Amino acid sequence: MVADAPSRFAPNAAASEHSVPERSDAEACQVAFAGVLSACRPPAQRGETALGALARQWGLSASFFATPTSVFAAIEYGNRVSTRLVRIEPGDVDLNKLVLLDEALSDAVAGRADPRTARARLREIDAETPLYGPTPMIAACALVGVAGARFFGGGSRAEQVAAKDAAGEGVDAVGGGRVGSVGRGGGG
């Protein structure tokens, strides 16, 4: 995820009495969405489009540029332009978080969540643990190896070698911290 996770959701602006979100709340939430969305690894164009729709919903003029390790956000209101760089730590695709984030983003774009509510939801999503622990992750890697060997016409020996190699990659991924070592609901 983003390297400076505790401060990623700053600034902590005062509550707004109006139905239109306070600009600093909307801007901070926009930047937080950029960080969490990009960490879930959607296609760059999809992320940029979603962030643009959110900016329009909250009355911001904004543009985004996503790379595999960062998101640049230029948010304009009035005569002020705020340019932010959000650093994204290298990682794997987390489809569960991507689904949860898509729901939160849809709620925000549809006006069912203001910036403060959306930021609280982002914190919950960011804190989610992986759905599966290390044992099912390693087993899944081995099964993918077997399926690949079978797909490419390998016999039982090729399947055994592929299973062993792929399981080894799974062990490296789990041991190297690329996937969570504690999960909900699955072995380990």
Side-chain angles (χ1 to χ4, degrees):
M1 295 284 168
V2 178
D4 61 341
S7 64
R8 162 171 66 205
F9 300 104
N12 188 5
S16 175
E17 301 278 331
H18 306 68
S19 61
V20 176
E22 190 173 305
R23 295 297 184 196
S24 60
D25 284 346
E27 180 181 342
C29 189
Q30 191 77 49
V31 171
F33 260 112
V36 177
L37 181 64
S38 296
C40 292
R41 308 283 185 234
Q45 183 179 3
R46 180 174 174 226
E48 291 167 358
T49 301
L51 291 168
L54 183 60
R56 285 188 298 281
Q57 169 64 26
W58 287 339
L60 299 174
S61 176
S63 28
F64 303 91
F65 178 71
T67 71
T69 59
S70 63
V71 175
F72 295 90
I75 302 170
E76 176 184 347
Y77 45 91
N79 60 356
R80 180 175 168 246
V81 176
S82 174
T83 304
R84 304 281 183 99
L85 168 65
V86 180
R87 169 83 168 109
I88 309 301
E89 290 299 316
D92 293 326
V93 175
D94 187 332
L95 296 178
N96 180 53
K97 284 187 180 183
L98 191 56
V99 168
L100 295 172
L101 185 62
D102 187 58
E103 292 169 358
L105 189 59
S106 294
D107 285 346
V109 169
R112 293 185 297 266
D114 65 7
R116 288 179 177 265
T117 305
R119 286 173 66 196
R121 182 68 184 118
L122 286 178
R123 286 185 194 98
E124 292 171 10
I125 292 168
D126 200 32
E128 284 282 321
T129 58
L131 287 176
Y132 304 101
T135 302
M137 296 293 283
I138 294 167
C141 288
L143 288 173
V144 167
V146 170
R150 180 161 293 203
F151 177 80
F152 289 110
S156 63
R157 180 70 183 136
E159 290 172 3
Q160 291 171 5
V161 169
K164 179 180 173 214
D165 287 349
E169 289 296 320
V171 168
D172 288 347
V174 170
R178 295 192 326 237
V179 276
S181 59
V182 178
R184 297 176 307 182

